Amino acid sequence: MKSKVVITIARQFGSGGREIGEKLAEKLEIPFYDKSLIHLAAQESGIDEDLFHFADEKSFHGFWAASASNAGIYGNRIPMFNELPMNDQLFLIQSKIIRKLAESDSCVIVGRCADYILRDDPHTIPVFIHSDEEDRLNRIIHIYGIAEKDARDVMIKTDKRRAAYYNYYSGGKWGRADNYDLSVNSGSVGIDGAVDLIIKLVELKSAL
């Protein structure tokens, strides 16, 4: 890459977002971060990695909910970091890691509100990957190895969990078009086609 770029990928479960991110990073020859963010956050904080896995892309009521109503257990004061609910502490730690990675070099980051966390970074290109239900179920069953009888339920619950996490911490709406520079239907263009579209966007933005 001649110029720095940070591509964030939000994705519906079963749309192939992680695979697209991996292939994109490989083609652009830049680092790829997904679950590895959890390991980095645990190293940075000294907090047990299992806690990060438990809280991964899950939201719980805490400081953000109290702040929205200007009330709650903290009243009008700003709480100390160690007074925050554990999930909020973990989100702040992971946010710090994401910002540090984005500052240091080009990379691809999947999920974890990265587009929101890096919303003021001029090098960031936020992307959303989606697909039709049939395509997603096929991937969930035949590639992810989830039993056919469970696939639809897992798909719905995973997307609800991701949406709740994003909406809770960003105050926005997960999947809303104006949160992203590009929304790609991977079922229409295929995994490689989605990668090519994102690379084309990177090239166009780099030329501006």
Side-chain angles (χ1 to χ4, degrees):
M1 289 292 300
K2 291 183 180 179
S3 58
K4 181 180 168 185
V5 62
V6 177
I7 303 163
T8 65
I9 296 180
R11 72 285 184 222
Q12 288 183 323
F13 186 63
S15 65
R18 188 181 195 280
E19 184 180 355
I20 289 166
E22 287 181 312
K23 288 193 171 188
L24 186 61
E26 185 179 349
K27 276 200 169 186
L28 295 176
E29 298 181 329
I30 59 177
F32 170 80
Y33 299 103
D34 182 15
K35 294 290 185 184
S36 54
L37 285 169
I38 293 174
H39 179 66
L40 292 172
Q43 279 188 322
E44 172 84 10
S45 64
I47 294 173
D48 193 321
E49 191 168 329
D50 287 343
L51 282 174
F52 284 95
H53 281 288
F54 175 76
D56 191 31
E57 295 193 290
K58 301 183 185 77
S59 67
F60 296 89
H61 293 299
F63 171 60
W64 272 261
S67 298
S69 61
N70 294 314
I73 61 174
Y74 306 112
N76 291 322
R77 71 182 181 88
I78 298 174
M80 300 293 288
F81 176 80
N82 59 8
E83 293 179 302
L84 294 174
M86 180 56 71
N87 274 64
D88 291 349
Q89 291 185 38
L90 299 181
F91 175 78
L92 291 175
I93 293 165
Q94 201 160 248
S95 297
K96 180 181 176 182
I97 296 294
I98 287 171
R99 291 191 188 97
K100 186 182 291 188
L101 293 171
E103 286 171 5
S104 64
D105 202 358
S106 295
C107 59
V108 176
I109 303 174
V110 173
R112 293 155 191 87
C113 282
D115 62 282
Y116 171 73
I117 293 164
L118 300 175
R119 63 195 181 280
D120 296 323
D121 185 336
H123 303 290
T124 296
I125 298 177
V127 176
F128 188 79
I129 306 296
H130 61 100
S131 189
D132 60 81
E133 184 175 289
E134 184 179 351
D135 180 70
R136 292 167 63 201
L137 286 172
N138 184 64
R139 175 176 291 275
I140 290 166
I141 294 165
H142 299 291
I143 298 180
Y144 298 174
I146 294 174
E148 186 172 352
K149 65 181 179 63
D150 300 323
R152 179 173 277 99
D153 186 52
V154 171
M155 179 182 72
I156 291 170
K157 287 182 177 177
T158 302
D159 278 351
K160 282 185 177 179
R161 175 169 54 82
R162 288 177 178 174
Y165 177 85
Y166 183 91
N167 298 349
Y168 172 67
Y169 284 111
S170 73
K173 187 170 179 60
W174 181 76
R176 182 170 167 169
D178 56 7
N179 290 331
Y180 311 98
D181 286 349
L182 181 67
S183 182
V184 181
N185 185 334
S186 59
S188 294
V189 300
I191 298 297
D192 291 333
V195 172
D196 291 342
L197 281 173
I198 298 168
I199 290 175
K200 183 62 177 177
L201 175 61
V202 171
E203 292 171 346
L204 288 170
K205 293 201 73 170
S206 298
L208 295 177

